[in-house]
Amino acid sequence: MWKKIFGSADAYKEIPKRDDPLFASVEWDKLPRHVAVIMDGNGRWAKGQGLIRTAGHKAGVKTLKGILSTAIGN
């Protein structure tokens, strides 16, 4: 499923080189290699908005895609 949504994870193994001094100052070896996201409360959020539960799950997936896209630098 990951590849279907985001493509191959192999494309992100190398750290891209950037000219930005802030980017260059990041200590890449100290950043976490794995992060967990617990998707809890999407159904309750939807019900609170007057929507069906599955609308909350769909909104959660959209948010997760944004988080992952930002995390991998797209």
Side-chain angles (χ1 to χ4, degrees):
M1 172 139 259
W2 175 270
K3 287 183 181 180
K4 183 177 179 183
I5 297 172
F6 299 103
S8 173
D10 294 335
Y12 305 105
K13 286 190 176 184
E14 301 241 354
I15 299 169
K17 304 294 182 211
R18 308 279 170 121
D19 295 333
D20 185 346
L22 182 60
F23 188 89
S25 70
V26 173
E27 296 182 51
W28 294 101
D29 57 328
K30 293 185 178 180
L31 292 177
R33 304 278 299 162
H34 302 278
V35 177
V37 176
I38 300 170
M39 299 194 44
D40 183 35
N42 294 319
R44 288 188 301 275
W45 172 86
K47 285 181 120 178
Q49 301 294 314
L51 303 169
I52 59 174
R53 286 183 60 84
T54 54
H57 300 306
K58 191 172 187 175
V61 169
K62 182 178 178 183
T63 300
L64 180 61
K65 284 182 181 181
I67 291 167
L68 294 173
S69 180
T70 299
I72 61 176
N74 285 346

